[in-house]
Amino acid sequence: MGKIVALVYVSLDGVMEAPAWTAPYFDEEHGQYAHQALFAADALLLGRETYEGMSQAWPGMTDEDGFADRINAMPKHVASATLESAEWNAEVIKGDLGEQVTVLKEKYERDILIYGSGALIRSLITEGLVDELKLWVHPVVVGKGKRLFPEGAPTSTWKLDGTTTFASGALILDYRPAGE
């Protein structure tokens, strides 16, 4: 059974929106981690906004290590109440999100990776469907923008399963649901 793994870039103040502020910290170490996470996954699960941005940027990309080929070829599932159809090897999730994501977890053997997609992640956390939450924390205060957990988000508890530190000062906090 596949696991839902959310990999989210966040600033020190919790902003995840428009993460151009990550660029100064992205180096070979970061690239290796991102490569490993992508190649451990069977599929991507994306919110509409993230899907639309990625589908505009990625199809024309190439690289030497196969990252672009992998991301372009793998199946993508898009959670959206407004999209009727999707391209770029993608399908729109129709019907109850929790039920459909449970079906996806049964369909795949390895990870189902979520990039960004804050509203989707929050919905899946509420449904108890996020198996791993990997917060890629960057040493920058952005000051404004959408946060992964805005004021009023439902309470959930997590246990730290590991950390990855980078020479750039960024780190990944790897969390699992702590249960009741």
Side-chain angles (χ1 to χ4, degrees), residues 8 13 18 34 45 47 58 78 86 88 100 103 105 111 120 129 136 149:
V8 185
D13 56 340
L45 175 58
W58 280 98
V78 184
W88 188 46
Q100 295 305 310
V103 169
K105 289 176 77 166
D111 296 347
L120 172 61
L129 292 171
W136 195 319
F149 300 110

Side-chain angles (χ1 to χ4, degrees), residues 4-79:
I4 301 295
V5 177
L7 181 57
V8 185
Y9 291 163
V10 294
S11 64
L12 288 176
D13 56 340
V15 173
M16 65 177 292
E17 182 179 30
W21 38 264
T22 65
Y25 306 99
F26 202 90
D27 58 19
E28 188 174 325
E29 271 186 305
H30 292 243
Q32 289 172 349
Y33 187 94
H35 188 275
Q36 179 184 14
L38 181 67
F39 280 78
D42 283 336
L44 295 179
L45 175 58
L46 305 168
R48 181 192 53 80
E49 289 181 33
T50 303
Y51 162 75
E52 287 177 340
M54 290 179 73
S55 69
Q56 294 297 310
W58 280 98
M61 288 191 192
T62 59
D63 57 34
E64 293 180 15
D65 69 357
F67 190 92
D69 290 340
R70 174 78 175 146
I71 205 166
N72 283 316
M74 70 191 321
K76 295 156 199 77
H77 304 275
V78 184

